Amino acid sequence: MLRDAGLTARRGFHSGLRMITIKEIAKIVGLSPSTVSIVLSGKAEKRGISPQTVEKIKRTAAEYGYVPNTPAIRLRLASNVTTYRVVIFWTADFRESVMLRFIKEIERRILNEKDMDFEVLLKVYKNDHLREAMTEELIRSCHGAIICNASAEDMAFVEDSHFSRPVVLYNRYSKKYPGVTLDDRRIGALPARAFGAHGCRRPSIITSPSTFSGMNLRWSAYEQTCAACGMEPPVKIVCGAGIHDGYLATRKLMEDHPDIDGVFYSSDELAMGGLRYFYEAGVPIPGQVKLIALGYNSLKNTELSIPALSVIDIPIERAAERCLTILTRLMRYEKADPSESESIISEYIPRESCPGV
């Protein structure tokens, strides 16, 4: 049974089975775990272990896909400083500005570490293709990984896998892996409350296509809160993710529904296109229409738009810092599990396009 399980793990790294251990190799070859450990750590000749035994152990380890515990090896070899190699998996989509904020915070956090040395590799992948990016060789070469923006299909792969290195998720919910999430219901409810507080009755949503369940939670919370505030059901327009997409979607929205008095954008890039349309159309903001967007870009950038854009702050830096903190704890072999996942709270930043509540 052990041989069959080992072969399955060797042939299918992502099959959901764990990698074989030194104790299991020792049981297969009929030797002590200490002898196997000595051979696999390259000390067989010094300890007088026969070439035949060395060959037998190495052949068995290779057959079953044994993965050495690299962090532990480096900890034993280091004097005062340990080098950790971290891979960040990020989707190749419209969230380049978010990626920059995330990476810069990781960099800032690493520079402030006194007792650890980090190497960070950014691995970009396409939505629904995370399994192709998370190769066995890449995972073996690192000490831990942060997975960002995984789609529903990517999350199904993650939940079905048992990775040989610690993994932390950014803004995704998991039953198996710890992570840092955003309060998606709060993110959806905040703009509706702001619109309701300013007497809006005909709200709307302009959004890019949903790529993960959290987006659906946001829109659901937005719609429910609009209803609770006595507003009509929001008009929803789905478009691309760029500034020009926001411009065209806003034009269509106002041509089809000229009585709209509140527009919630799923990103500040979409909202920038909307601001351009309202400027050209001569629509007073916030006099006729109030605007709120999710703030993925720097708060300083949206503060300089005309009018200054009100946003729901997405605290990317805080999320990045917490992801690295959890991963560092895992790489140091401190306990962590999905129940320890953290939720980051977003706040409403009122500006000219929609005043404070």
Side-chain angles (χ1 to χ4, degrees):
M1 290 298 293
L2 183 58
R3 176 172 292 273
D4 291 339
L7 288 172
T8 302
R10 176 174 61 85
R11 285 196 285 257
F13 175 66
H14 302 305
S15 63
L17 297 174
R18 60 179 173 76
M19 292 299 175
I20 195 169
T21 66
I22 284 179
K23 288 184 179 180
E24 291 167 338
I25 293 175
K27 186 175 181 180
I28 293 171
V29 298
L31 297 168
S32 68
S34 61
T35 300
V36 173
S37 178
I38 290 169
V39 170
L40 295 179
S41 62
K43 301 176 181 178
E45 186 175 353
K46 291 182 179 179
R47 302 294 292 271
I49 298 175
S50 70
Q52 294 81 3
T53 300
V54 171
E55 173 60 24
K56 183 179 181 180
I57 292 173
K58 288 187 174 180
R59 184 176 63 250
T60 303
E63 178 184 358
Y64 287 91
Y66 169 72
V67 180
N69 192 330
T70 309
I73 293 172
R74 290 198 177 192
L75 280 170
R76 288 195 298 268
L77 295 177
S79 53
N80 297 317
V81 178
T82 300
T83 298
Y84 286 91
R85 188 170 193 247
V86 174
V87 181
I88 299 176
F89 292 90
W90 196 279
T91 45
D93 58 16
F94 67 93
R95 286 167 281 204
E96 292 92 348
S97 59
V98 182
M99 179 176 68
L100 180 61
R101 290 177 62 187
F102 194 93
I103 296 297
K104 285 181 69 69
E105 177 59 25
I106 293 290
E107 178 185 54
R108 187 200 67 78
R109 174 80 160 75
I110 287 174
L111 291 175
N112 289 336
E113 280 288 344
K114 303 299 183 183
D115 59 341
M116 296 178 70
D117 184 25
F118 283 84
E119 299 172 355
V120 178
L121 172 65
L122 175 63
K123 179 67 175 180
V124 178
Y125 69 96
K126 293 182 179 180
N127 270 324
D128 302 333
H129 293 274
L130 179 61
R131 70 171 62 244
E132 298 168 15
M134 293 190 72
T135 63
E136 178 180 358
E137 291 75 18
L138 181 56
I139 295 299
R140 285 185 181 183
S141 72
C142 72
H143 299 83
I146 301 174
I147 301 175
C148 305
N149 309 319
S151 67
E153 183 174 334
D154 293 327
M155 281 305 301
F157 154 70
V158 170
E159 296 287 19
D160 192 46
S161 301
H162 288 264
F163 303 110
S164 60
R165 297 291 184 263
V167 166
V168 174
L169 303 175
Y170 161 63
N171 199 27
R172 295 297 183 268
Y173 304 91
S174 171
K175 297 178 180 179
K176 291 171 56 177
Y177 299 102
V180 177
T181 62
L182 303 176
D183 189 337
D184 291 305
R185 292 191 181 279
R186 177 180 173 83
I187 288 172
L190 285 174
R193 292 173 189 165
F195 289 155
H198 291 285
C200 294
R201 290 295 173 263
R202 290 165 292 280
S204 61
I205 308 172
I206 294 181
T207 176
S208 55
S210 176
T211 56
F212 71 105
S213 60
M215 289 184 70
N216 297 327
L217 287 176
R218 294 173 188 178
W219 313 146
S220 175
Y222 177 68
E223 293 169 353
Q224 292 171 6
T225 308
C226 283
C229 293
M231 288 181 274
E232 297 178 4
V235 176
K236 185 174 184 178
I237 292 185
V238 179
C239 62
I243 294 176
H244 191 63
D245 298 306
Y247 174 88
L248 295 177
T250 304
R251 184 174 69 184
K252 176 175 175 53
L253 172 69
M254 299 310 293
E255 288 176 350
D256 295 346
H257 305 275
D259 57 348
I260 289 293
D261 54 10
V263 186
F264 175 33
Y265 294 92
S266 67
S267 75
D268 38 23
E269 289 203 25
L270 289 175
M272 291 300 165
L275 285 174
R276 178 66 187 187
Y277 167 79
F278 286 121
Y279 168 77
E280 292 179 354
V283 175
I285 299 173
Q288 180 177 334
V289 182
K290 294 172 177 59
L291 310 181
I292 300 176
L294 297 188
Y296 286 108
N297 286 284
S298 166
L299 289 176
K300 293 182 179 179
N301 291 349
T302 50
E303 188 178 30
L304 296 177
S305 63
I306 301 176
L309 184 62
S310 300
V311 297
I312 308 301
D313 180 36
I314 305 297
I316 304 299
E317 288 77 12
R318 174 63 175 168
E321 185 272 327
R322 295 312 302 161
C323 281
L324 187 62
T325 296
I326 294 174
L327 185 62
T328 300
R329 190 165 69 238
L330 287 167
M331 293 189 300
R332 286 172 165 168
Y333 299 100
E334 299 172 16
K335 183 180 179 182
D337 57 52
S339 65
E340 297 181 62
S341 293
E342 302 179 18
S343 181
I344 304 296
I345 300 299
S346 294
E347 299 295 343
Y348 175 50
I349 310 295
R351 296 191 182 125
E352 295 169 348
S353 70
C354 185
V357 177

